[in-house]
Amino acid sequence: QVQLVESGGGLVQAGGSLRLSCTASGSIFSINAMGWYRQAPGKERELVAVSITGGSLHYADSVKGRFTISRDNAKNTVYLQMNSLKPEDTAVYYCNVVHVPYNYWGQGTQVTVSS
């Protein structure tokens, strides 16, 4: 069993910054990918950023140049640094860890960006 604990969400004004973190614990022997998704009210969950074990990073077009994903593999922790936040970034952000064939999700953390 794997548990994901997220932190770092909150309310921020447009143009501000937030840093999300997610730590995985439990029966993890190898992680294939760690990433972040988000879901805004009335919308489907979408990929924000993912870090593939081995080095490759992928971002949604809407966050490129503003968000940065990073990992501390020794701590099984993934971070999402969010800069230049916009009201359209408002959503519940979910941590995701892939340990093939399993897919784990955090409980979600609310990010609200006021205009």
Side-chain angles (χ1 to χ4, degrees), residues 7 9 21 34 39 44 47 52 100 111:
S7 62
S21 64
M34 302 183 80
Q39 188 167 17
E44 294 186 353
L47 174 68
I52 308 297
V100 176
V111 171

Side-chain angles (χ1 to χ4, degrees), residues 19 22 30-36 50-57 68-80 96-98:
R19 189 192 194 206
C22 171
S30 64
I31 293 176
N32 302 105
M34 302 183 80
W36 293 92
V50 62
S51 169
I52 308 297
T53 299
S56 64
L57 306 176
T68 303
I69 189 170
S70 61
R71 286 168 60 170
D72 184 335
N73 291 324
K75 297 180 179 179
N76 285 335
T77 298
V78 61
Y79 305 96
L80 185 68
N96 173 257
V97 170
V98 177

Side-chain angles (χ1 to χ4, degrees), residues 25-109:
S25 62
S27 302
I28 298 179
F29 301 103
S30 64
I31 293 176
N32 302 105
M34 302 183 80
W36 293 92
Y37 288 70
R38 67 185 180 187
Q39 188 167 17
K43 295 187 177 181
E44 294 186 353
R45 191 173 298 189
E46 63 175 0
L47 174 68
V48 176
V50 62
S51 169
I52 308 297
T53 299
S56 64
L57 306 176
H58 301 278
Y59 294 92
D61 288 342
S62 59
V63 307
K64 283 180 180 177
R66 300 188 297 121
F67 291 11
T68 303
I69 189 170
S70 61
R71 286 168 60 170
D72 184 335
N73 291 324
K75 297 180 179 179
N76 285 335
T77 298
V78 61
Y79 305 96
L80 185 68
Q81 178 66 44
M82 304 184 293
N83 298 328
S84 302
L85 282 161
K86 304 175 180 180
E88 50 264 43
D89 294 318
T90 295
V92 178
Y93 284 70
Y94 296 91
C95 175
N96 173 257
V97 170
V98 177
H99 173 206
V100 176
Y102 304 105
N103 203 9
Y104 301 100
W105 294 94
Q107 79 281 5
T109 184

Side-chain angles (χ1 to χ4, degrees), residues 6-26:
E6 303 166 354
S7 62
L11 172 64
V12 65
Q13 289 188 333
S17 299
L18 285 173
R19 189 192 194 206
L20 306 182
S21 64
C22 171
T23 299
S25 62

